[in-house]
Every structure is written in C-alpha cells, then in structure tokens.
Amino acid sequence: MNIEGSVVFITGANRGLGLEFAKQALARGAKKVYAAARQIESVTLPGVIPVKLDVTKPEEVAAAVAACGDVTLLINNAGIGRTGGALADDAEALLRDQLETNLFGVWRLSSAFAATLGRNGGGAIVNILSILSWVNTPTLGAYGVSKSAAWALTNSLRQELSAQGTQVLGFHGGFIDTDMISAFDVPKSRPEDVVRQTLDAVQAGQVEVSVDESTRQVKQALSAGVYLQDALAH
C-alpha cells in the first residue's frame, strides 16, 4: 500500500520508534496520523492527532476504534521490555506483564481494527517484533517469549485477514537506539533507518522485514538451529 494519502494509527507514538514512524508517515504524505499514547499530553509532534490509549485496557481500545474509523494502516508499536528469564524469581510476573502488552495489546488492536481496515479497502498492519522472536537469552528471556508469541500471532493474522486484502507485515530487528534499551551497551541501529526500511516494505507489499544485518543473519541461520544458542553470547 502507498503511505501517501493513507490514514495511519500508531500505538506508543509519543517517543522512540513510534515517534519516528509518525514523523516519517507525515513526511511521506499520509493524509492523517493518529498518535496514540497512555498519556495524551506526551504527544507533542505537530501535525498528528493525539489519541489516549493504553493497549492493555479494552475500553480504551474500543473508544479509539470508534473514533478513528478511517484508518488504513495500523502500526502496533507499543511494547515493554523487562530484564529477566523464564526461571527468574519473578518470572510469572515478568511473563504476564510483557505478554499483556506485547502479545495481547497487539491482538486487541489488530482484532478491533480488522473490520475497519476491511471497510477501507484492506489496508495494512505492521507488528513490531524482534530478533528475539527467533532467538533468546536469559537476560531477556521473558521478553523473548512475548515476542515469539507476537510473531505467531502475526502469522495467524496474515492468514486470517488475507481474504479481505489486508497486508500484515512483521518487523524484526535487534537493538535500536531508543529509551527502552538505553541501559544496554551494545551496537544499536538508528530509529530513522529501521523505520524507513519498514515503510518501504509496506509500500512494496512485503510481509516481513529484517531491519539490520544481525537479524538477517539469524533468519538465514534458523534452519541450522541458531535458536538453540544464547543470542547475546555471540
């Protein structure tokens, strides 16, 4: 689909990748950009329409869908990241917290907007996933579980929405220079670069995009069992 003339709805649009998606959507000629965030006052980018939205609250999702009936491109960007693995002392809380946002948040928005996209010609959904959808590490084990689940959901949505012509694009990337991973002293991609690649992939009709070399290498190595290793040990 073409970004120019589209109506874009972005979750977690007040900072980081979400903010960059909003900037580039406007620059590419989007007719309208809805910028959703838990604190509506944190959305300060000129030219967007702020929307109050916590993706873990069904009533706020329903209100957003009712108010934004012209959406043609949904970008499920909102997510949280917590350190800790599947056997941490607080593993159940870590898993539930991250699954609620990173899996069920994506599901809530996608299922709620599905009919809207269908009525508006099919449109597209972009789900922000991770290199940790495919490999994992004890440092971010619970987060990786949530992103693997979101990857499976993305693949299911693609199949279920194909009949109405909705493009479903899975975004996979490693560390990106945003607030969420500011504590990690590792090489990071620039938000500008990964967002540009993602919107290019939307326009090209693609269903998956790997936005950095590490992620592309991991994808190629899946059949060799790369997922059996610690992703941060190499």
XYZ file of all heavy atoms in Angstrom, residues 171-208:
293
model
N 7.825 -6.964 11.618
C 9.095 -6.238 11.731
C 9.998 -6.987 12.703
O 9.611 -7.242 13.847
C 8.798 -4.823 12.252
C 9.982 -4.040 12.792
C 10.423 -2.919 12.125
C 10.597 -4.393 13.994
C 11.479 -2.159 12.644
C 11.645 -3.656 14.511
C 12.088 -2.534 13.828
N 11.208 -7.328 12.253
C 12.181 -7.967 13.134
C 13.453 -7.139 13.153
O 13.989 -6.772 12.096
C 12.499 -9.388 12.653
C 11.331 -10.320 12.694
N 10.999 -11.070 13.798
C 10.396 -10.595 11.762
C 9.916 -11.781 13.537
N 9.528 -11.510 12.298
N 13.945 -6.834 14.346
C 15.169 -6.055 14.466
C 15.861 -6.350 15.773
O 15.265 -6.860 16.726
N 17.149 -6.016 15.820
C 17.933 -6.164 17.042
C 17.824 -4.913 17.892
O 16.771 -4.282 17.976
N 18.918 -4.534 18.509
C 18.908 -3.371 19.396
C 18.810 -2.084 18.588
O 19.551 -1.872 17.628
C 20.167 -3.359 20.251
C 20.211 -4.472 21.264
C 21.118 -5.519 21.127
C 19.343 -4.486 22.343
C 21.161 -6.546 22.053
C 19.373 -5.512 23.272
C 20.288 -6.545 23.135
N 17.897 -1.223 19.001
C 17.652 0.056 18.327
C 17.834 1.164 19.355
O 17.479 1.010 20.533
C 16.230 0.085 17.725
C 16.063 -1.077 16.736
C 15.957 1.416 17.029
C 14.627 -1.333 16.317
N 18.386 2.260 18.933
C 18.765 3.341 19.843
C 17.541 4.127 20.324
O 17.251 5.220 19.847
C 19.767 4.268 19.148
C 20.418 5.245 20.119
O 20.255 5.069 21.335
O 21.095 6.177 19.651
N 16.828 3.534 21.271
C 15.663 4.180 21.885
C 15.807 4.111 23.403
O 16.689 3.425 23.932
C 14.352 3.489 21.480
O 14.363 2.145 21.985
C 14.194 3.463 19.958
N 14.913 4.789 24.114
C 14.963 4.803 25.573
C 14.850 3.401 26.166
O 15.419 3.120 27.218
C 13.820 5.667 26.132
C 13.996 7.140 25.825
O 15.115 7.531 25.432
O 13.020 7.903 25.967
N 14.118 2.527 25.497
C 13.820 1.221 26.071
C 15.078 0.401 26.324
O 15.132 -0.393 27.264
C 12.869 0.448 25.155
C 12.265 -0.781 25.807
S 10.845 -1.417 24.896
C 11.581 -2.791 24.056
N 16.116 0.589 25.504
C 17.338 -0.202 25.698
C 18.545 0.689 25.964
O 19.681 0.306 25.682
C 17.603 -1.114 24.484
C 17.838 -0.297 23.220
C 16.493 -2.118 24.285
C 18.632 -1.049 22.198
N 18.298 1.846 26.530
C 19.396 2.782 26.795
C 20.433 2.202 27.748
O 21.603 2.588 27.713
C 18.841 4.089 27.357
O 18.124 3.857 28.557
N 20.042 1.253 28.590
C 20.969 0.682 29.568
C 21.900 -0.370 28.960
O 22.863 -0.784 29.612
C 20.186 0.068 30.722
N 21.635 -0.805 27.732
C 22.447 -1.848 27.102
C 23.594 -1.218 26.309
O 23.349 -0.421 25.391
C 21.593 -2.712 26.171
C 20.656 -3.633 26.903
C 19.408 -3.188 27.327
C 21.022 -4.945 27.174
C 18.539 -4.031 28.002
C 20.152 -5.793 27.849
C 18.916 -5.335 28.263
N 24.810 -1.580 26.651
C 25.997 -1.066 25.958
C 26.336 -1.998 24.799
O 27.240 -2.836 24.878
C 27.168 -0.958 26.929
C 28.403 -0.328 26.286
O 28.255 0.304 25.217
O 29.500 -0.488 26.855
N 25.571 -1.880 23.725
C 25.727 -2.731 22.544
C 25.535 -1.872 21.296
O 24.972 -0.777 21.375
C 24.675 -3.867 22.544
C 24.925 -4.849 23.679
C 23.265 -3.289 22.632
N 25.989 -2.348 20.139
C 25.710 -1.612 18.898
C 24.211 -1.510 18.667
O 23.475 -2.475 18.891
C 26.388 -2.476 17.825
C 27.430 -3.261 18.550
C 26.860 -3.523 19.913
N 23.774 -0.340 18.222
C 22.345 -0.100 18.038
C 22.084 0.542 16.683
O 22.857 1.386 16.227
C 21.821 0.816 19.144
C 22.029 0.282 20.547
C 21.717 1.325 21.601
C 22.074 0.827 23.001
N 21.859 1.850 24.047
N 20.965 0.164 16.079
C 20.538 0.779 14.823
C 19.867 2.117 15.112
O 19.326 2.343 16.195
C 19.547 -0.131 14.093
O 20.130 -1.376 13.787
N 19.874 2.989 14.119
C 19.197 4.274 14.256
C 17.713 4.111 13.961
O 17.331 3.463 12.983
C 19.787 5.304 13.287
C 21.254 5.598 13.497
C 21.689 6.845 12.742
N 21.080 6.917 11.408
C 20.722 8.062 10.820
N 20.905 9.212 11.424
N 20.183 8.049 9.609
N 16.842 4.693 14.782
C 15.406 4.610 14.510
C 15.045 5.083 13.106
O 14.172 4.493 12.455
C 14.794 5.523 15.577
C 15.768 5.499 16.705
C 17.123 5.406 16.045
N 15.705 6.134 12.633
C 15.403 6.655 11.301
C 15.598 5.604 10.220
O 14.803 5.498 9.287
C 16.297 7.866 10.988
C 16.123 9.034 11.940
C 17.062 8.993 13.122
O 17.478 7.886 13.526
O 17.391 10.076 13.651
N 16.646 4.799 10.376
C 16.960 3.791 9.356
C 15.954 2.643 9.363
O 15.490 2.197 8.306
C 18.371 3.244 9.574
C 19.446 4.297 9.361
O 19.206 5.271 8.617
O 20.539 4.155 9.954
N 15.608 2.152 10.568
C 14.726 0.989 10.612
C 13.292 1.357 10.234
O 12.581 0.557 9.611
C 14.783 0.289 11.984
C 16.201 -0.148 12.311
C 14.240 1.161 13.093
N 12.870 2.566 10.575
C 11.522 2.998 10.187
C 11.447 3.189 8.673
O 10.453 2.798 8.038
C 11.130 4.284 10.932
C 9.869 4.895 10.339
C 10.918 3.980 12.411
N 12.469 3.773 8.091
C 12.485 3.950 6.633
C 12.360 2.600 5.928
O 11.563 2.446 4.992
C 13.760 4.660 6.201
C 13.946 4.733 4.683
C 15.267 5.385 4.307
N 16.386 4.847 5.059
C 16.980 3.683 4.796
N 16.527 2.905 3.811
N 18.012 3.272 5.512
N 13.134 1.612 6.381
C 13.059 0.281 5.773
C 11.673 -0.338 5.935
O 11.165 -1.004 5.029
C 14.097 -0.640 6.421
C 15.543 -0.297 6.110
C 16.487 -1.254 6.825
O 16.540 -2.446 6.510
N 17.215 -0.741 7.801
N 11.069 -0.110 7.088
C 9.752 -0.699 7.354
C 8.682 -0.092 6.461
O 7.854 -0.803 5.871
C 9.380 -0.525 8.833
O 10.420 -1.079 9.639
C 8.065 -1.222 9.143
N 8.673 1.229 6.346
C 7.675 1.868 5.486
C 7.923 1.544 4.015
O 6.970 1.409 3.242
C 7.672 3.384 5.729
C 7.197 3.796 7.131
C 7.208 5.314 7.265
C 5.818 3.249 7.450
N 9.183 1.388 3.638
C 9.480 0.927 2.274
C 8.882 -0.468 2.048
O 8.337 -0.760 0.971
C 10.993 0.870 2.040
C 11.628 2.236 1.840
O 10.891 3.234 1.666
O 12.875 2.316 1.874
N 8.995 -1.332 3.065
C 8.460 -2.693 2.953
C 6.940 -2.687 2.853
O 6.348 -3.476 2.110
C 8.916 -3.536 4.140
N 6.293 -1.787 3.607
C 4.839 -1.648 3.497
C 4.467 -1.276 2.073
O 3.569 -1.878 1.458
C 4.306 -0.590 4.488
C 2.835 -0.295 4.218
C 4.490 -1.064 5.927
N 5.133 -0.286 1.537
C 4.817 0.183 0.187
C 5.108 -0.875 -0.864
O 4.444 -0.911 -1.910
C 5.587 1.468 -0.116
C 5.182 2.624 0.771
C 5.582 3.988 0.227
O 4.996 4.990 0.611
N 6.552 4.038 -0.648
N 6.076 -1.749 -0.604
C 6.420 -2.805 -1.560
C 5.520 -4.033 -1.424
O 5.668 -4.995 -2.181
C 7.882 -3.211 -1.376
N 4.602 -4.007 -0.448
C 3.695 -5.133 -0.275
C 4.306 -6.334 0.413
O 3.769 -7.439 0.340
N 5.406 -6.144 1.135
C 6.089 -7.258 1.785
C 5.341 -7.695 3.040
O 4.535 -6.952 3.602
C 7.532 -6.867 2.124
C 8.390 -6.588 0.899
C 9.782 -6.084 1.258
O 10.219 -6.172 2.396
N 10.477 -5.540 0.268
N 5.655 -8.902 3.512
C 5.003 -9.435 4.707
C 5.975 -9.597 5.864
O 5.562 -9.941 6.976
C 4.299 -10.772 4.420
C 3.164 -10.571 3.427
C 5.284 -11.819 3.929
N 7.256 -9.355 5.641
C 8.246 -9.448 6.696
C 9.431 -8.567 6.339
O 9.808 -8.464 5.168
C 8.709 -10.897 6.890
C 9.526 -11.138 8.134
C 9.699 -12.621 8.424
O 10.579 -13.236 7.787
O 8.954 -13.153 9.276
